[in-house]
């Protein structure tokens, strides 16, 4: 149940359309390239992209919270 709740919360967290993934510290070059190419609309969608690790999703979440985006 907790995993379902977490997945639901990630779906609710929208990613701004103009985000520059290069600015997010802790993301590998491969992750930056994939996110820049696919442009997911939510953290939930980003988490389902092949090669995007839970650590990368956490880095995005931390970056957005620091910037006051989420």
């Amino acid at each position: 149940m907790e995993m379902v709740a977490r997945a639901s919360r990630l779906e609710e967290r929208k990613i701004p359309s103009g985000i520059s993934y290069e600015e997010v510290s802790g993301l590998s070059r491969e992750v930056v390239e994939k996110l820049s190419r696919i442009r997911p609309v939510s953290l939930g969608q980003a988490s389902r992209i092949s090669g995007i690790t839970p650590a990368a999703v956490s880095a995005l979440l931390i970056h957005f919270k620091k910037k006051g985006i989420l």
Side-chain angles (χ1 to χ4, degrees):
M1 290 302 269
E2 186 175 322
M3 288 176 57
V4 172
R6 181 171 189 249
S8 176
R9 286 192 304 269
L10 286 178
E11 284 301 324
E12 295 170 0
R13 308 247 174 154
K14 302 299 179 194
I15 297 175
S17 60
I19 185 73
S20 173
Y21 293 104
E22 291 85 15
E23 296 177 0
V24 181
S25 62
L27 295 181
S28 69
R29 182 175 303 244
E30 177 187 4
V31 169
V32 169
E33 288 175 6
K34 283 187 177 192
L35 291 173
S36 296
R37 186 179 67 244
I38 297 171
R39 306 301 291 177
V41 296
S42 71
L43 288 176
Q45 185 181 11
S47 71
R48 293 189 300 273
I49 298 170
S50 174
I52 306 299
T53 63
V57 174
S58 293
L60 288 169
L61 186 59
I62 290 168
H63 176 79
F64 295 151
K65 284 186 176 182
K66 278 184 180 178
K67 298 287 184 178
I69 297 170
L70 295 178

